[in-house]
Amino acid sequence: MASKRVKQSIILSVSVMKGCYRHIQVSVNEDLETLADIILWAFDFDNDHAHAFFHGQ
C-alpha cells in the first residue's frame, strides 16, 4: 500500500515598511535562499542587495 505524502505549508506576513506587507504561503521544505527569492518577487524587488532574516519584534 502506497503511503500518502502530506504537503505542508506556512503563511508568513512579510513587511518592508509600515503599511507595505504581503502574506506569502510557502512549503515547509523550502530553503532560506528560495524563501528570499519568493519574498523579493512578491515585492517586485531585484536581488541586487544583501538581505537577512530576523525572528521576533
Side-chain angles (χ1 to χ4, degrees), residues 25-49:
Q25 183 174 4
V26 294
S27 167
V28 296
N29 298 316
E30 298 295 354
D31 58 28
L32 289 177
E33 183 176 2
T34 301
L35 177 58
D37 289 339
I38 292 168
I39 293 170
L40 293 172
W41 176 84
F43 288 97
D44 198 26
F45 288 163
D46 294 324
N47 194 3
D48 59 353
H49 294 284

Side-chain angles (χ1 to χ4, degrees), residues 2-41:
S3 64
K4 291 183 180 180
R5 188 171 175 169
V6 177
K7 294 183 180 181
Q8 294 181 337
S9 63
I10 56 173
I11 298 175
L12 303 169
S13 291
V14 181
S15 66
V16 293
M17 67 180 93
K18 187 174 183 174
C20 184
Y21 65 92
R22 304 286 188 272
H23 297 293
I24 301 172
Q25 183 174 4
V26 294
S27 167
V28 296
N29 298 316
E30 298 295 354
D31 58 28
L32 289 177
E33 183 176 2
T34 301
L35 177 58
D37 289 339
I38 292 168
I39 293 170
L40 293 172
W41 176 84

